[in-house]
Amino acid sequence: MIRLISARLAVMMLLAFTSWQCSNPKVEATNLSVVPLPDTLMGRQPLNDLSETVKRLLPYAKKKPVLLAQAFGELGNAYHALNYMGLARDCYSNANLLDPQEYRWAYYLGKVQRSLGNFEASDVAFQNVLGLRTEYVPAMVWIAENAFDRGLYEAAEEQYKNASRLDVQCAKCLYGLSMVASAQSRFDSAATFLQMALDLQPQASQLHYNMGLVLRELGDMDRARKHLALAESHPARRVDLVLNDPLMIAIQAVQQDALSLEHMAQKALERGDYQEAIATYRRCLQLDAERPDARFNLAMALLRLGRRELAKQELNILLSHKPDHAPSLVLLGNLSRDESQTDAALVFFQRAVLADPAGPKGDLGMADVFRYSGQYLKALKHYQSAAVIDPADHHAKLGSVISLVLLRQYDQAISKLDACLAAFPGSSLETWLTARLWSTMVASTPSYHLNLTQFLAACSKDGLTVFEMETLAMCYASLEQFSDAIRWQTKARDSAANQPESFESAARRLNDYQQGRTCQEPWNNNEFELVLHSWTNKKGQLN
Amino acid sequence: MEPRPKSGPYMAIVLAAFCILTCRPTILDSGMVSTSSPEIFIDAAADSGLDFHHENGASGHYYFCEIVGSGCAFFDFDNDGDLDVYLVQSGSADAVPEQDAPMDKLYRNDGVLDQGVFRLSFTDVTASSGIKASGYGMGVATGDVDNDGFTDLYLTQFGANSLWRNMGDGSFQDITEQAGVNDLRWSTSAAFFDYDLDGFLDLFVVNYTDFRLTNNKDCVNEGELDYCGPLSYQPITDSLFRNRGDGTFENVSGPAGFLNSPSTGLGVVCADFNNDGWQDIYVANDKKPNHLWLNLGDGRFENDALFRGNALDAQGLAEASMGVDAADFDNDGDDDLFMTHLAGETNTLYVNDGKGYFKDYSVNTGLGPASFAFTAFGCAFLDIDNDGWQDIISVNGAVKAVESLKLNNEPFPYAQSDQLFQNKNSSFTEISHKASILALPTVSRGLAIGDVDNDGDADALVNDNNGQVRLLINQVGQNSNWLGIRISGSGRRDMLGTRLAIHRLNLPTQWRRVRTDASYLSANDPRILIGLGESPDFESVTVFWLDGSVEQWTDLPANQYSTLVKGGGTEPSLDIP
């Protein structure tokens, strides 16, 4: 009996050992790919911790392969979330090598290989997933996608069908079947699959787009155009076809950390999607309220949408955490100046100078305030201070020139202007024109007329932007042709009112020329009216 | 009992033995053994005197324009029968131009025929040409704007564009202001074409974004400062200039309908896509839907790309389109479209059904997956082996730092290899391995195609961002038969837009279009090359002039160039499809 038990025990131990051998091949640390932590990511959590865990467990590759696999897998997730696909691939490869029984690592490896364009390697990984979980629909879908992308339509169709049988709610499977049918010119069939997918996900842009193309092929032009009109191509506005992909939630969770959210918000801000940027910055600040850049950019995004008070609130919160945050002080100074709160503006700019004595923006802000309030000498002094701090600063140079012109020190203005133009030979149309116009204005009237004519010729009369209209108005005003100035300013105002987006764009460009690079707040709506009013007065005086 | 060898080394020995016994050099689809295959291209730039080095002026500010340029051109400026070279320089975006700042260069082809071989030799004639293009250069377009028989140049810039009139004596004159074709915005590609069929070349200028140094943004890629993408800036509109025929142009962008569609244009190609007799315009936009501007024939254009099926990819997404070319790759009588895209997207082939409706056949034709890992710019259809099927070349280079290069601390981590695809019966196979010069990683941008050594095959000129120019001489095409044709008007002007059909017995008719446009920021040889394969025989060449008239030539010699002048042919005797 004892012998029998011993024999059974021996068999069981052998089986267990064999099983361990299969699931844990003898992996030496030297067989694993080296996955460096790039210098740029040093010190970033949780990457640092994950990387340290891997290092700590690496000597135990043989003894604790599953644990090390887990560590590599989690590090891979972090790289994956940050879009370091090469490093993610190496981590997942290691994890998969260490623990081939864990379908997650194979799945992530398949996804990353696909994103790197390695379709065969991706297939192998997904097939490993199916070897472990035979009915895992997302793996089937990606195998199908890999096949489709290589023109292997029959293989793709088979996988889509299998996946569709297992998950009748899988709109992506139906879409895949429609794509195969369409590629094989079976347009009736394609339309049927697309309609089934649309019944499941009626807003998905690519379903509408392909339905439009299929209906066009079928000669149903009216319906085709209707579907195409619903196919939004802009990434920020389109509704994507959704695949139920539970493992990717882990990646998305990693992406939810504050830094990732800040990056995502930054991207949204850069592409002009302010609504998305605001929402994402707020999520970011919920996780970490003391991220000055995130809060400052949130304020910027709010300003872009005209939410000045909310923006000011955010800037004040920021200053309560970080009283010497110079960009916030400058921005609040600009906002105060626009609201004609000259004294408040000057206080903010003075604080900015103290907070960042090496930065020119505080001086520039003060200079602008003085210039707009007619104190040209003080303005000139601060522009010159800014120019000393940053000799290449466009705003400082141009501001000095304008102040000199206003002080009627024309010779000095022209001399500075020449230097300014030499420093910015490739500067924009607006800057060039402004500079030329100022220079010719102080030179002689005939050449000014010539420039104006050239400007008119350079502009398309049917397509003037708000800014160009304003520039024209400014030209006429400085020629004291106020009727024309008022006409163009009115046009600019009306055009801006009818085209909010181009108004904002024009405002930004106008700010650019006025403030060099400190393009930080939208144009004040009242400016149009103020300018019109002043010119109307001047016209009256002339008459 | 002796220990069993571990499975690893044991398997390795078995595999090694198996390999020694069975492994042979790869047999390629041509049936030739790879080790003896001739290199398709050799780089002749340095040996022939092309010493141009593109400078992007990388300032550390990651100014958007630094990663975009620049272009190049093959054109015969001195009408001596061989192609000269124009190379666009960028330089520094924000520095004061100095006396010795790098500038665009014009190289005269002084090659000579020596014992049946064309010995390439280029001479830098920039100074004597009078061209002083010292701004931040982007692209070049070529065309004879005044019908004097000499090809003129239009240069696009991140800044002011310029039109240079070829005076016919080796010099050029800046006629931008008097011609009225300036555009101070950021222009990229441009194309000369005759949209109103009045016999004078009009000009279409593609503009990119409202990026300026003063609104430069800090964009982050994987935690580090990197170049921004097009969506970081506002899109802007393209421009159409109508040639009045008196040396001046009229900006007709408004009435023609272009001012309501701002976008992010990089590439352009003009052709009659819907076969209605009017030249249309296709613009490749970066991360925005592409535009197919159908010429309505009354001076107006209408963008119908979405409905025509070439605005978006098969998923309905706007891709980052860079370069574009149009040609009849499937020999069915219409112009199809190929365009290059960002890594993570595929390059795209839109197939025309003959009526101007397109389908994305990137996957079906084998072009999709191979391009997935590359960011491609310049591209062209060219019959590399003169077998009668137009192949494809794309030159690549990233716009965001490549992860692996960055980890290796490469100072300019954007280089990628280029790609070549062979067309056999409308199906493509990558054959980059047959041109090892393409494997060298570079940040390629501009690409021009032309027969620079007049040996009957298509060579390539590549302008690499922050790199040395490359002149890729085709080593295989001349081994097949070919037909070389220049299509000329009475004033020796290249008749851009004219179509040709080359009829052959029991073989598909080949279709070609006279053009200099397409690719990316670049201008191509306007001459037509037709690969005839093993037999030099063909039945006739039918020429479809833009004015609707049709002529035929039947007695052209193979394996040399002929000039077909309007009015010199006969009435077509064959059925015209």
Side-chain angles (χ1 to χ4, degrees):
Chain A
M1 185 68 183
I2 290 171
R3 198 179 294 170
L4 186 64
I5 290 172
S6 299
R8 279 187 181 174
L9 200 60
V11 169
M12 282 171 70
M13 283 177 70
L14 184 66
L15 281 174
F17 180 72
T18 313
S19 161
W20 186 87
Q21 283 277 55
C22 290
S23 64
N24 301 283
K26 291 186 175 176
V27 179
E28 301 284 351
T30 49
N31 292 342
L32 302 171
S33 308
V34 177
V35 186
L37 184 65
D39 293 345
T40 50
L41 299 178
M42 288 283 185
R44 255 172 81 163
Q45 301 299 352
L47 272 174
N48 239 29
D49 288 347
L50 292 169
S51 185
E52 286 302 318
T53 307
V54 166
K55 273 187 207 162
R56 204 175 61 246
L57 291 173
L58 210 51
Y60 305 100
K62 250 176 161 176
K63 286 185 184 168
K64 298 181 177 177
V66 174
L67 210 56
L68 182 57
Q70 179 73 24
F72 266 121
E74 286 176 5
L75 183 60
N77 283 168
Y79 282 132
H80 195 161
L82 289 170
N83 214 27
Y84 279 77
M85 291 302 189
L87 295 175
R89 176 196 54 205
D90 294 345
C91 287
Y92 291 142
S93 290
N94 289 345
N96 193 44
L97 192 66
L98 288 158
D99 187 3
Q101 297 300 305
E102 175 53 66
Y103 80 103
R104 287 181 300 157
W105 312 139
Y107 184 79
Y108 289 130
L109 181 59
K111 286 281 286 182
V112 168
Q113 293 284 29
R114 176 176 160 75
S115 74
L116 290 167
N118 304 326
F119 294 102
E120 283 83 5
S122 172
D123 272 351
V124 170
F126 286 129
Q127 290 293 359
N128 286 341
V129 174
L130 292 181
L132 297 165
R133 296 187 61 165
T134 50
E135 296 190 346
Y136 196 63
V137 169
M140 289 179 185
V141 170
W142 294 118
I143 291 172
E145 299 270 305
N146 283 347
F148 182 83
D149 285 349
R150 283 175 291 165
L152 307 171
Y153 299 130
E154 287 175 9
E157 187 173 29
E158 188 189 336
Q159 286 291 347
Y160 283 132
K161 276 184 179 166
N162 290 341
S164 200
R165 270 187 222 108
L166 289 167
D167 180 3
V168 292
Q169 297 291 312
C170 178
K172 195 167 177 73
C173 306
L174 294 164
Y175 172 69
L177 287 168
S178 80
M179 294 298 280
V180 172
S182 186
Q184 295 171 336
S185 300
R186 293 184 282 117
F187 298 113
D188 282 322
S189 181
T192 305
F193 284 126
L194 283 168
Q195 190 52 58
M196 288 164 73
L198 275 168
D199 290 342
L200 293 169
Q201 294 189 22
Q203 287 182 293
S205 295
Q206 64 257 60
L207 296 179
H208 285 291
Y209 178 69
N210 279 287
M211 186 62 117
L213 293 187
V214 165
L215 291 172
R216 193 195 73 184
E217 294 289 343
L218 292 169
D220 191 345
M221 300 304 193
D222 288 343
R223 280 182 66 211
R225 285 198 184 272
K226 279 179 189 162
H227 278 282
L228 287 169
L230 293 170
E232 176 58 65
S233 65
H234 193 287
R237 291 191 293 268
R238 64 187 261 124
V239 178
D240 275 321
L241 192 58
V242 178
L243 171 71
N244 182 21
D245 197 349
L247 285 185
M248 288 309 287
I249 290 169
I251 305 299
Q252 286 156 5
V254 176
Q255 288 170 333
Q256 301 303 308
D257 73 37
L259 184 61
S260 301
L261 283 169
E262 190 175 342
H263 280 175
M264 285 158 65
Q266 174 79 12
K267 295 266 183 201
L269 188 62
E270 283 164 6
R271 67 172 180 264
D273 189 347
Y274 306 126
Q275 205 67 53
E276 173 70 18
I278 289 166
T280 314
Y281 277 127
R282 288 209 161 122
R283 278 162 61 205
C284 163
L285 289 166
Q286 277 170 1
L287 291 174
D288 180 359
E290 296 191 20
R291 301 188 76 83
D293 290 351
R295 198 170 293 279
F296 180 77
N297 285 332
L298 169 61
M300 295 291 290
L302 287 164
L303 279 175
R304 291 277 186 244
L305 288 182
R307 312 294 296 273
R308 294 170 74 92
E309 290 309 316
L310 285 176
K312 278 158 64 175
Q313 277 176 26
E314 295 297 337
L315 292 170
N316 284 320
I317 293 171
L318 202 169
L319 287 174
S320 69
H321 294 306
K322 207 170 161 46
D324 57 349
H325 192 256
S328 297
L329 292 165
V330 170
L331 189 48
L332 281 169
N334 284 336
L335 291 171
S336 301
R337 187 201 66 208
D338 283 354
E339 291 162 3
S340 303
Q341 297 174 13
T342 310
D343 292 343
L346 284 173
V347 170
F348 279 121
F349 289 132
Q350 276 163 351
R351 281 177 64 188
V353 170
L354 291 172
D356 181 16
K361 291 185 178 171
D363 273 311
L364 290 173
M366 280 196 278
D368 285 343
V369 170
F370 286 129
R371 193 180 103 209
Y372 298 147
S373 57
Q375 300 179 63
Y376 304 130
L377 204 56
K378 281 186 179 173
L380 180 63
K381 186 184 128 199
H382 283 284
Y383 283 129
Q384 286 172 339
S385 297
V388 169
I389 293 168
D390 183 1
D393 191 284
H394 191 190
H395 183 178
K397 286 183 179 179
L398 206 57
S400 299
V401 171
I402 293 168
S403 301
L404 286 165
V405 169
L406 293 167
L407 288 164
R408 299 179 186 276
Q409 296 178 18
Y410 297 137
D411 291 342
Q412 280 187 57
I414 288 167
S415 154
K416 275 196 181 291
L417 194 56
D418 286 343
C420 189
L421 284 171
F424 295 93
S427 58
S428 62
L429 169 67
E430 295 88 344
T431 307
W432 179 84
L433 274 171
T434 310
R436 286 293 299 274
L437 291 168
W438 276 111
S439 77
T440 47
M441 185 169 70
V442 299
S444 66
T445 303
S447 96
Y448 186 71
H449 273 290
L450 184 65
N451 254 320
L452 184 60
T453 313
Q454 284 175 353
F455 173 53
L456 281 165
C459 294
S460 161
K461 291 185 186 65
D462 296 315
L464 288 185
T465 63
V466 174
F467 181 80
E468 286 164 341
M469 291 178 198
E470 280 207 305
T471 310
L472 274 177
M474 191 175 78
C475 298
Y476 283 118
S478 54
L479 284 169
E480 299 194 335
Q481 296 179 15
F482 290 110
S483 296
D484 284 327
I486 290 165
R487 183 165 59 86
W488 280 106
Q489 187 72 4
T490 308
K491 273 190 180 187
R493 182 196 59 190
D494 294 346
S495 183
N498 292 333
Q499 301 167 21
E501 198 165 354
S502 58
F503 164 69
E504 190 190 47
S505 166
R508 280 208 299 273
R509 286 191 284 163
L510 191 53
N511 271 350
D512 274 0
Y513 109 79
Q514 284 188 325
Q515 301 184 14
R517 289 187 192 176
T518 54
C519 171
Q520 294 188 336
E521 76 274 35
W523 183 243
N524 185 341
N525 282 307
N526 295 329
E527 291 285 351
F528 281 111
E529 297 301 335
L530 286 173
V531 171
L532 268 178
H533 182 68
S534 101
W535 287 345
T536 308
N537 279 344
K538 284 183 185 172
K539 186 183 170 196
Q541 285 163 13
L542 276 183
N543 290 340
Chain B
M1 191 176 167
E2 285 192 15
R4 289 173 61 186
K6 287 181 181 173
S7 63
Y10 174 74
M11 282 304 293
I13 292 164
V14 171
L15 279 173
F18 181 74
C19 194
I20 290 164
L21 290 172
T22 60
C23 292
R24 294 175 185 159
T26 313
I27 306 295
L28 302 176
D29 52 5
S30 62
M32 295 170 71
V33 178
S34 65
T35 50
S36 61
S37 293
E39 281 287 332
I40 291 177
F41 288 122
I42 57 163
D43 184 359
D47 289 345
S48 62
L50 290 182
D51 55 359
F52 180 86
H53 189 278
H54 177 264
E55 310 285 346
N56 70 5
S59 58
H61 295 291
Y62 290 87
Y63 292 135
F64 192 11
C65 55
E66 291 170 0
I67 200 68
V68 175
S70 61
C72 54
F74 273 137
F75 76 126
D76 182 7
F77 83 90
D78 50 3
N79 279 346
D80 65 348
D82 54 37
L83 291 175
D84 309 296
V85 164
Y86 191 86
L87 291 158
V88 179
Q89 183 59 276
S90 296
S92 176
D94 62 356
V96 180
E98 296 167 6
Q99 196 68 29
D100 56 351
M103 292 201 301
D104 290 10
K105 281 196 175 184
L106 174 64
Y107 291 90
R108 189 180 60 221
N109 188 341
D110 289 333
V112 290
L113 203 59
D114 176 15
Q115 298 177 339
V117 178
F118 194 91
R119 306 281 176 204
L120 279 168
S121 172
F122 288 95
T123 307
D124 180 353
V125 294
T126 315
S128 59
S129 74
I131 299 175
K132 287 179 186 164
S134 58
Y136 200 89
M138 282 288 136
V140 52
T142 57
D144 180 2
V145 298
D146 49 4
N147 288 349
D148 66 350
F150 290 92
T151 306
D152 309 300
L153 286 173
Y154 187 73
L155 305 179
T156 64
Q157 295 209 350
F158 170 64
N161 299 338
S162 55
L163 178 61
W164 294 85
R165 185 181 172 213
N166 187 337
M167 306 305 288
D169 59 359
S171 71
F172 287 77
Q173 190 178 30
D174 184 354
I175 58 166
T176 315
E177 291 304 321
Q178 67 205 67
V181 288
N182 204 351
D183 198 326
L184 295 168
R185 296 172 296 169
W186 182 359
S187 303
T188 51
S189 292
F192 284 109
F193 74 129
D194 185 4
Y195 83 90
D196 52 0
L197 307 183
D198 66 348
F200 288 94
L201 288 177
D202 310 299
L203 174 64
F204 187 77
V205 182
V206 177
N207 295 310
Y208 193 27
T209 71
D210 78 339
F211 162 76
R212 284 160 289 128
L213 299 187
T214 49
N215 66 359
N216 182 44
K217 293 179 180 176
D218 287 344
C219 290
V220 175
N221 174 27
E222 294 169 357
E224 285 186 273
L225 201 62
D226 205 340
Y227 290 105
C228 291
L231 299 183
S232 297
Y233 297 96
Q234 294 295 316
I236 52 179
T237 55
D238 300 328
S239 301
L240 177 65
F241 297 95
R242 188 179 74 82
N243 190 338
R244 294 191 182 102
D246 61 357
T248 66
F249 287 74
E250 178 188 3
N251 186 340
V252 292
S253 312
F258 293 104
L259 294 184
N260 293 323
S261 302
S263 194
T264 51
L266 284 175
V268 64
V269 62
C270 303
D272 180 7
F273 291 106
N274 58 353
N275 207 21
D276 65 351
W278 296 93
Q279 298 286 293
D280 311 305
I281 305 165
Y282 186 82
V283 183
N285 293 319
D286 192 356
K287 278 288 173 198
K288 297 259 177 195
N290 296 320
H291 289 153
L292 174 61
W293 292 102
L294 293 177
N295 187 339
L296 302 181
D298 58 359
R300 291 177 305 132
F301 287 77
E302 181 181 72
N303 174 28
D304 201 24
L306 187 65
F307 190 62
R308 297 282 170 164
N310 54 18
L312 308 170
D313 73 355
Q315 307 294 328
L317 274 170
E319 297 185 288
S321 299
M322 319 283 192
V324 61
D325 197 7
D328 183 16
F329 85 99
D330 49 1
N331 290 338
D332 68 348
D334 54 42
D335 278 319
D336 310 295
L337 285 161
F338 175 77
M339 66 202 61
T340 51
H341 292 123
L342 204 64
E345 302 170 342
T346 66
N347 291 339
T348 303
L349 180 70
Y350 290 112
V351 177
N352 191 342
D353 71 350
K355 296 172 190 164
Y357 292 98
F358 291 80
K359 273 190 78 177
D360 180 344
Y361 268 70
S362 314
V363 172
N364 316 49
T365 50
L367 286 167
S371 59
F372 200 75
F374 298 93
T375 297
F377 280 86
C379 64
F381 286 104
L382 75 176
D383 187 354
I384 202 82
D385 47 5
N386 277 337
D387 68 345
W389 293 94
Q390 296 195 72
D391 312 302
I392 288 176
I393 184 171
S394 75
V395 296
N396 307 327
V399 289
K400 298 277 181 197
V402 177
E403 181 188 330
S404 58
L405 299 177
K406 201 164 65 172
L407 293 174
N408 283 342
N409 294 318
E410 292 279 339
F412 193 54
Y414 301 89
Q416 295 182 323
S417 54
D418 302 327
Q419 291 180 292
L420 189 61
F421 299 91
Q422 187 174 37
N423 178 0
K424 290 282 184 194
N425 299 314
S426 310
S427 182
F428 289 88
T429 308
E430 185 172 2
I431 56 165
S432 310
H433 59 279
K434 294 185 183 179
S436 56
I437 192 79
L438 299 182
L440 294 175
T442 49
V443 189
S444 302
R445 292 293 182 263
L447 166 75
I449 300 297
D451 183 8
V452 73
D453 52 2
N454 283 339
D455 66 347
D457 57 26
D459 309 303
L461 179 69
V462 188
N463 197 357
D464 291 332
N465 185 290
N466 224 30
Q468 202 72 27
V469 67
R470 288 179 293 151
L471 179 61
L472 306 179
I473 302 297
N474 186 335
Q475 300 290 290
V476 299
Q478 73 268 27
N479 299 329
S480 295
N481 292 288
W482 55 279
L483 191 59
I485 296 173
R486 184 176 181 196
I487 299 291
S488 173
S490 52
R492 275 190 60 81
R493 172 168 81 80
D494 292 302
M495 301 296 279
L496 304 186
T498 304
R499 299 192 75 217
L500 283 78
I502 299 90
H503 308 280
R504 305 186 69 195
L505 200 60
N506 300 325
L507 284 169
T509 296
Q510 292 187 52
W511 292 82
R512 295 288 187 275
R513 175 175 48 88
V514 183
R515 58 83 185 260
T516 59
D517 59 9
S519 187
Y520 175 77
L521 309 177
S522 298
N524 301 291
D525 183 356
R527 296 175 300 177
I528 298 287
L529 268 177
I530 302 108
L532 299 176
E534 294 177 1
S535 166
D537 300 331
F538 65 96
E539 290 188 313
S540 63
V541 173
T542 307
V543 178
F544 298 81
W545 303 98
L546 281 184
D547 64 3
S549 61
V550 183
E551 290 180 88
Q552 196 165 67
W553 278 262
T554 53
D555 52 354
L556 301 176
N559 299 320
Q560 69 181 67
Y561 281 97
S562 306
T563 299
L564 309 187
V565 181
K566 192 168 189 294
T570 59
E571 285 280 313
S573 57
L574 292 172
D575 288 339
I576 297 164

